[in-house]
């Protein structure tokens, strides 16, 4: 992978991930509180709807960047050779799966702290991080890592080959590479 492509993947992936995570954060907080064992209102109700946002803001850029850098690097390594076109969907599936494994190394600790802060809005993100480390150690930050990876991979197995296929079809139809907004439309459809 070229340096310019690496930087583009890192920057675009990170920015996209951060924008989505921050825009949808209030909905995520409500979902977390609805699922809380203590009930929606005792978990904070509509108060402190941005509780835990620092964790999401800090983790979201590197999480998405790690995914897309891993995805693009793996895709370029697997995409070499004479069978590249025939194997493209499988290569995209493998690249997306590896991207999820790597991204979850960042995503899971971020999610653990964020969700615990959402369910306990009287605590700050920093306090929740320290409490988790004190009570459970680093392992506590990775609680649910395997299940998160197992949840994410099936989506990626479908989404990324479909995204790549839609981009290829559109690009061939118009006779040139897609603009960023067109690739985003393909991603939204996928």
């Amino acid at each position: 992978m070229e340096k310019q492509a690496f930087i583009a993947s890192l920057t675009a992936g990170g920015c996209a991930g951060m924008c989505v995570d921050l825009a949808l954060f209030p909905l995520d907080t409500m979902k977390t509180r609805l699922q809380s064992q203590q009930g929606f209102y005792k978990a904070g109700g509509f108060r402190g709807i941005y509780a835990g946002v620092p964790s999401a803001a800090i983790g979201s850029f590197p999480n998405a960047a790690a995914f897309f850098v891993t995805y693009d690097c793996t895709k370029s390594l697997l995409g070499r050779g004479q069978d590249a076109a025939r194997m493209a969907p499988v290569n995209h599936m493998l690249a997306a799966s590896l991207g999820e494994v790597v991204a979850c190394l960042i995503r899971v600790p971020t999610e653990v702290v964020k969700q615990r802060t959402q369910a306990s809005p009287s605590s700050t993100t920093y306090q929740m991080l320290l409490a988790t480390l004190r009570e459970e150690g680093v392992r506590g930050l990775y609680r649910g890592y395997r299940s998160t990876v197992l949840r994410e991979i099936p989506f990626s197995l479908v989404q990324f080959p479909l995204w790549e296929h839609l981009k290829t079809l559109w690009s061939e139809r118009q006779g040139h590479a897609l603009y960023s907004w067109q690739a985003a439309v393909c991603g939204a459809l996928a």
Side-chain angles (χ1 to χ4, degrees):
M1 179 178 225
E2 309 173 355
K3 184 178 179 180
Q4 187 176 357
F6 176 86
I7 292 170
S9 184
L10 180 84
T11 306
C15 288
M18 193 167 69
C19 288
V20 168
D21 287 349
L22 294 177
L24 298 178
F25 192 85
L27 293 175
D28 185 60
T29 300
M30 288 190 284
K31 175 194 67 107
T32 299
R33 291 177 180 176
L34 284 167
Q35 294 172 342
S36 172
Q37 291 180 357
Q38 55 190 349
F40 180 75
Y41 288 105
K42 285 187 180 177
F46 294 103
R47 285 182 299 106
I49 207 75
Y50 285 96
V53 80
S55 176
I58 291 167
S60 118
F61 186 97
N63 162 43
F67 174 86
F68 279 102
V69 165
T70 303
Y71 175 74
D72 285 337
C73 286
T74 304
K75 187 174 73 166
S76 71
L77 288 172
L78 295 174
R80 297 178 182 160
Q82 59 198 53
D83 287 340
R86 187 175 59 81
M87 293 299 293
V90 173
N91 292 343
H92 298 147
M93 289 177 184
L94 291 171
S97 296
L98 185 58
E100 291 296 355
V101 169
V102 171
C104 281
L105 292 171
I106 299 166
R107 182 181 306 139
V108 170
T110 300
E111 286 288 312
V112 166
V113 173
K114 179 191 75 164
Q115 288 175 355
R116 290 178 181 187
T117 307
Q118 287 172 324
S120 180
S122 60
S123 297
T124 66
T125 298
Y126 183 68
Q127 290 170 329
M128 198 56 67
L129 171 63
L130 291 179
T132 301
L133 288 171
R134 185 174 47 254
E135 295 167 19
E136 303 173 60
V138 175
R139 292 184 93 182
L141 293 175
Y142 285 93
R143 183 178 297 271
Y145 175 81
R146 276 183 252 143
S147 61
T148 303
V149 169
L150 291 173
R151 178 194 73 194
E152 296 296 327
I153 286 177
F155 290 109
S156 291
L157 289 175
V158 174
Q159 182 181 16
F160 284 87
L162 185 55
W163 178 51
E164 296 287 356
H165 183 67
L166 291 171
K167 290 191 312 180
T168 300
L169 288 176
W170 197 346
S171 177
E172 287 174 355
R173 186 161 194 177
Q174 70 184 12
H176 61 81
L178 297 183
Y179 298 111
S180 297
W181 71 268
Q182 292 171 315
V185 168
C186 292
L189 291 172

Tab-separated table of all heavy atoms in Angstrom, residues 14 30 39 50 52 67 80 82 124 147 158 164:
chain	number	residue	atom	x	y	z
A	14	GLY	N	-10.965	7.369	9.887
A	14	GLY	CA	-11.068	7.959	11.219
A	14	GLY	C	-12.119	9.051	11.296
A	14	GLY	O	-12.926	9.089	12.232
A	30	MET	N	-29.496	6.225	24.842
A	30	MET	CA	-30.858	5.769	25.150
A	30	MET	C	-30.966	4.247	25.030
A	30	MET	O	-31.590	3.598	25.872
A	30	MET	CB	-31.875	6.483	24.263
A	30	MET	CG	-32.043	7.942	24.659
A	30	MET	SD	-33.422	8.768	23.867
A	30	MET	CE	-32.756	9.032	22.238
A	39	GLY	N	-33.111	-0.254	34.730
A	39	GLY	CA	-34.210	0.419	34.056
A	39	GLY	C	-33.793	1.765	33.490
A	39	GLY	O	-32.822	2.371	33.942
A	50	TYR	N	-25.285	12.924	27.001
A	50	TYR	CA	-23.934	12.852	26.441
A	50	TYR	C	-22.927	12.258	27.426
A	50	TYR	O	-21.722	12.357	27.211
A	50	TYR	CB	-23.468	14.225	25.960
A	50	TYR	CG	-24.142	14.619	24.663
A	50	TYR	CD1	-25.277	15.418	24.665
A	50	TYR	CD2	-23.660	14.155	23.443
A	50	TYR	CE1	-25.910	15.755	23.481
A	50	TYR	CE2	-24.292	14.482	22.259
A	50	TYR	CZ	-25.414	15.280	22.287
A	50	TYR	OH	-26.035	15.601	21.116
A	52	GLY	N	-20.442	9.894	28.821
A	52	GLY	CA	-19.600	8.912	28.137
A	52	GLY	C	-19.088	9.364	26.789
A	52	GLY	O	-18.326	8.643	26.139
A	67	PHE	N	-9.472	0.111	11.583
A	67	PHE	CA	-10.227	-0.796	10.715
A	67	PHE	C	-9.869	-0.571	9.251
A	67	PHE	O	-9.515	-1.508	8.538
A	67	PHE	CB	-11.747	-0.635	10.895
A	67	PHE	CG	-12.502	-1.461	9.899
A	67	PHE	CD1	-12.787	-2.787	10.182
A	67	PHE	CD2	-12.865	-0.949	8.665
A	67	PHE	CE1	-13.431	-3.584	9.240
A	67	PHE	CE2	-13.504	-1.730	7.723
A	67	PHE	CZ	-13.795	-3.051	8.010
A	80	ARG	N	-3.300	-9.262	-5.093
A	80	ARG	CA	-2.244	-9.432	-6.104
A	80	ARG	C	-2.379	-10.796	-6.760
A	80	ARG	O	-2.867	-11.737	-6.176
A	80	ARG	CB	-0.875	-9.326	-5.442
A	80	ARG	CG	-0.631	-7.974	-4.829
A	80	ARG	CD	0.699	-7.913	-4.147
A	80	ARG	NE	0.876	-6.593	-3.535
A	80	ARG	CZ	1.720	-6.346	-2.580
A	80	ARG	NH1	2.498	-7.292	-2.111
A	80	ARG	NH2	1.824	-5.129	-2.074
A	82	GLN	N	-2.906	-13.367	-10.457
A	82	GLN	CA	-3.759	-13.539	-11.629
A	82	GLN	C	-5.214	-13.842	-11.276
A	82	GLN	O	-6.105	-13.608	-12.073
A	82	GLN	CB	-3.200	-14.633	-12.534
A	82	GLN	CG	-3.066	-15.995	-11.864
A	82	GLN	CD	-2.130	-16.898	-12.625
A	82	GLN	OE1	-1.006	-16.499	-12.903
A	82	GLN	NE2	-2.592	-18.070	-12.967
A	124	THR	N	-17.893	10.341	35.790
A	124	THR	CA	-17.269	10.836	34.562
A	124	THR	C	-16.600	9.669	33.843
A	124	THR	O	-16.399	8.590	34.423
A	124	THR	CB	-16.190	11.899	34.866
A	124	THR	OG1	-15.109	11.268	35.568
A	124	THR	CG2	-16.759	13.056	35.673
A	147	SER	N	-17.120	-11.692	21.915
A	147	SER	CA	-18.507	-11.587	21.442
A	147	SER	C	-18.688	-10.380	20.522
A	147	SER	O	-19.476	-10.432	19.571
A	147	SER	CB	-19.483	-11.532	22.621
A	147	SER	OG	-19.232	-10.417	23.430
A	158	VAL	N	-20.759	-9.304	4.789
A	158	VAL	CA	-21.767	-8.915	3.798
A	158	VAL	C	-21.503	-7.507	3.287
A	158	VAL	O	-21.492	-7.254	2.081
A	158	VAL	CB	-23.189	-9.004	4.404
A	158	VAL	CG1	-24.232	-8.459	3.442
A	158	VAL	CG2	-23.506	-10.438	4.797
A	164	GLU	N	-17.705	-2.869	-2.154
A	164	GLU	CA	-16.702	-2.896	-3.226
A	164	GLU	C	-17.349	-3.182	-4.578
A	164	GLU	O	-16.985	-2.588	-5.596
A	164	GLU	CB	-15.627	-3.946	-2.928
A	164	GLU	CG	-14.803	-3.667	-1.692
A	164	GLU	CD	-13.809	-2.524	-1.848
A	164	GLU	OE1	-13.668	-1.956	-2.944
A	164	GLU	OE2	-13.166	-2.195	-0.829
